[in-house]
Amino acid sequence: MRSWNAPTVPSLPGDGPVPALWDTATASFVTTRPVDGAATLYVCGITPYDATHLGHASTYLAFDSLVRVWRDAGLRVTYAQNTTDVDDPLLERATATGVDWRALAASQTDLFRSDMEHLAVVPPEHYVAVTDVVGDVADAVAGLIDSGVAYRVETPGSEAGDDVYFDVRGAERDTSWHLGLESRYDAPTMARFFAERGGDPDRAGKRDPLDPLLWRAARADEPSWPSSVGPGRPGWHIECTVIAEQHLGATATVAGGGSDLVFPHHEMSTAHATSITGEPSARQWAHSGMVAYQGEKMSKSLGNLVKVSELVSAGRDARAVRLAITAHHWRSDWEWLDDDLADAEARLERWTAWAHGVGPQEAGAGTTPLLALLRAALADDLDTPRAIRAVDDHVAAGRPATAVDVDAVAALLGIDLRR
Ligand code: ZN
C-alpha cells in the first residue's frame, strides 16, 4: 500500500552514536548491535476509524526519532508498519455511522498519511494493509494448526466453519516463548489487560482463558475472505506477526508501539512468531507512554481527543505540534495542556529567528558543539526534551547558528527552520 511523502532529512557531518533504548522485555537499556550495518523496525499501525490524536502522534514521533537517529548513525534502516483496516471497532463505527467500512478505512488512512506528512514523520518502507495479506495470515494460521499450537473452537452462528485460537500453554511447552517473556506482567495483570484490550477470556471451548483469537470464521454481515482455513478474517496479533516477518525477516531489531500494546498484543505476536519461525519477532521491545487530556488517557472511547488534523486546519503550525509533543520524554505518560501549543509556537519563533541569522555553509564544515549535544541526548534513550533544551540554551545564549546546526535540528528533531 502507498505510504506517505518523506520529509527532507539533511545529512550531517560524521556519524552519530547508535542509541541505547529502554527494552520492555529485559527492563534495561539496550544498545542495538546492528547486523551488517542494518537495523529493522516494526511499529504497530492504527485501526483507521477515526483521526490521529496526539496519543498516536506521540507514538509515531517517538519511533520517528529512532529512525532519524539510526540513520544518522549510518545504519541502513528498514521500517514496516501495518494498518488494521479490518477489525471489530472499525466495523462497529462503520455500521453506527452508516458508512461502508472500506470507505471509512480509506478516508481515515488518508487522513493519517496527511497527519504524518504534516508532522514530518519519515514514512515506513513497507506500509501494509491487513486486507492485502489475509491469505498469508490464513496460511500462517493453517501452519499453526498443523504444528498443534492452534485449535478450532465451535462457533455457533457461523456457517463457514469455526474460529481458530492459539494455545498459549501448548506454545509454552513446545517453544522458547512463555507468558510474561515480553511483558514481564504477573498473572492478574495479564488477566485484566487481556479482558480490557480485545481478548475474550470467557469464550466457551477455549483451552485457556488467555488463548487469543487467530482467525475469525465468517459471520453474516461481516466482511470475510476465502482462505486455506475457510472463509473469515484475521485475528489482531497474528496480522503483525505475519507482516513483520514478510518484510523484516524472522526477528526485527526493534518492535514498538504504545504501552497499551505490551499485553496481550506484543506478547502474543511474539508467541505466534516463535511458534512459526522458532525465533522471537523482535530483539528488543520499545513502548511509548500514554497521553492524557483533561485528566484522562486520550482515547477514542472516552472522546477526549485532540486531533492533529484539527489543529492544522485551525491554522496551527504542525512544527509546533511536533515540538510540543517531543518536549515530553517518549516513554513517560504525560498530559496535554491547552497552553502547550502556544509555548511551542513561541519556542519555534525564537528558533526560527535564530536560524535566519545563519551564515553561508562553509565548505567541509564539521561537527558543531550543538550537533554533538543533540547526538548525545538522543543516543541516551531518545531524550528529545534534553535535545530541545540544548537548542534553547544555544539560542538564549546568543550563539550564532551555523548551517550544520540548522541541518541538525531538521535531521534529528524533525523541525525545518528554513521554512
Ligand atoms: Zn501490531
Side-chain angles (χ1 to χ4, degrees):
M1 185 174 69
R2 182 173 66 82
S3 190
W4 55 88
N5 295 317
T8 303
V9 180
S11 59
L12 301 172
D15 282 343
V18 175
L21 203 64
W22 184 260
D23 173 34
T24 305
T26 57
S28 65
F29 291 103
V30 173
T31 301
T32 311
R33 292 288 158 224
V35 180
D36 299 329
T40 56
L41 173 66
Y42 186 83
V43 178
C44 293
I46 58 163
T47 299
Y49 69 96
D50 208 339
T52 319
H53 60 70
L54 296 185
H56 298 129
S58 175
T59 293
Y60 299 111
L61 285 172
F63 294 102
D64 186 55
S65 297
L66 178 60
V67 167
R68 287 166 179 271
V69 171
W70 269 352
R71 283 189 177 185
D72 181 55
L75 303 182
R76 277 177 289 108
V77 179
T78 310
Y79 176 9
Q81 185 182 133
N82 68 308
T83 181
T84 305
D85 62 345
V86 58
D87 198 12
D88 294 343
L90 169 72
L91 299 174
E92 284 160 18
R93 176 67 63 90
T95 303
T97 53
V99 178
D100 181 82
W101 65 273
R102 282 158 293 217
L104 177 62
S107 67
Q108 296 305 316
T109 303
D110 270 345
L111 194 53
F112 178 71
R113 291 187 183 103
S114 124
D115 289 343
M116 293 297 104
E117 285 181 10
H118 279 123
L119 293 172
V121 172
V122 176
E125 281 73 25
H126 306 284
Y127 189 43
V128 183
V130 171
T131 51
D132 286 337
V133 295
V134 171
D136 301 320
V137 173
D139 293 347
V141 173
L144 290 170
I145 294 172
D146 286 347
S147 58
V149 288
Y151 59 97
R152 294 184 182 274
V153 170
E154 196 183 335
T155 305
S158 173
E159 293 167 7
D162 291 327
D163 296 339
V164 182
Y165 281 80
F166 184 73
D167 180 350
V168 292
R169 301 298 168 192
E172 287 188 316
R173 209 171 42 238
D174 296 349
T175 73
S176 57
W177 172 83
H178 61 86
L179 275 171
L181 181 75
E182 175 268 341
S183 67
R184 305 170 68 84
Y185 290 156
D186 59 17
T189 307
M190 288 188 208
R192 179 161 64 87
F193 285 150
F194 189 82
E196 285 176 10
R197 298 172 179 169
D200 51 358
D202 301 325
R203 169 76 189 260
K206 291 207 303 184
R207 293 177 185 168
D208 187 283
L210 294 182
D211 287 353
L213 179 75
L214 286 168
W215 185 260
R216 181 171 166 88
R219 311 293 205 270
D221 304 324
E222 282 187 20
S224 64
W225 289 258
S227 84
S228 52
V229 286
R233 59 184 165 98
W236 176 30
H237 319 304
I238 186 73
E239 71 185 46
C240 285
T241 309
V242 169
I243 292 170
E245 199 268 335
Q246 279 183 343
H247 295 284
L248 306 177
T251 304
T253 310
V254 170
S259 61
D260 53 352
L261 299 185
V262 170
F263 191 92
H265 186 55
H266 285 160
E267 190 86 79
M268 298 305 177
S269 295
T270 195
H272 301 338
T274 309
S275 289
I276 293 168
T277 69
E279 303 288 336
S281 56
R283 288 161 64 194
Q284 184 176 351
W285 297 90
H287 293 102
S288 58
M290 294 288 113
V291 180
Y293 183 55
Q294 296 168 334
E296 300 260 25
K297 177 191 149 184
M298 206 177 277
S299 75
K300 289 172 185 175
S301 48
L302 291 172
N304 58 336
L305 304 182
V306 179
K307 295 177 183 173
V308 174
S309 50
E310 289 179 358
L311 294 173
V312 170
S313 56
R316 311 306 285 262
D317 190 322
R319 293 174 300 172
V321 178
R322 179 168 182 135
L323 263 183
I325 292 171
T326 53
H328 301 272
H329 194 277
W330 69 282
R331 280 191 298 111
S332 65
D333 295 332
W334 54 277
E335 178 161 0
W336 176 263
L337 303 174
D338 288 321
D339 290 343
D340 285 359
L341 191 50
D343 292 347
E345 284 167 341
R347 172 177 272 144
L348 182 63
E349 207 167 301
R350 292 193 300 275
W351 288 15
T352 305
W354 167 75
H356 284 170
V358 70
Q361 173 94 44
E362 306 133 44
T367 305
T368 63
L370 181 59
L371 172 56
L373 288 171
L374 295 185
R375 280 177 167 159
L378 295 170
D380 180 8
D381 198 26
L382 308 175
D383 193 344
T384 51
R386 193 171 119 204
I388 289 171
R389 282 197 304 277
V391 182
D392 275 347
D393 292 346
H394 209 79
V395 172
R399 293 188 199 112
T402 69
V404 169
D405 291 338
V406 178
D407 281 350
V409 172
L412 297 174
L413 295 180
I415 305 293
D416 180 0
L417 297 172
R418 290 196 169 89
R419 277 168 43 198

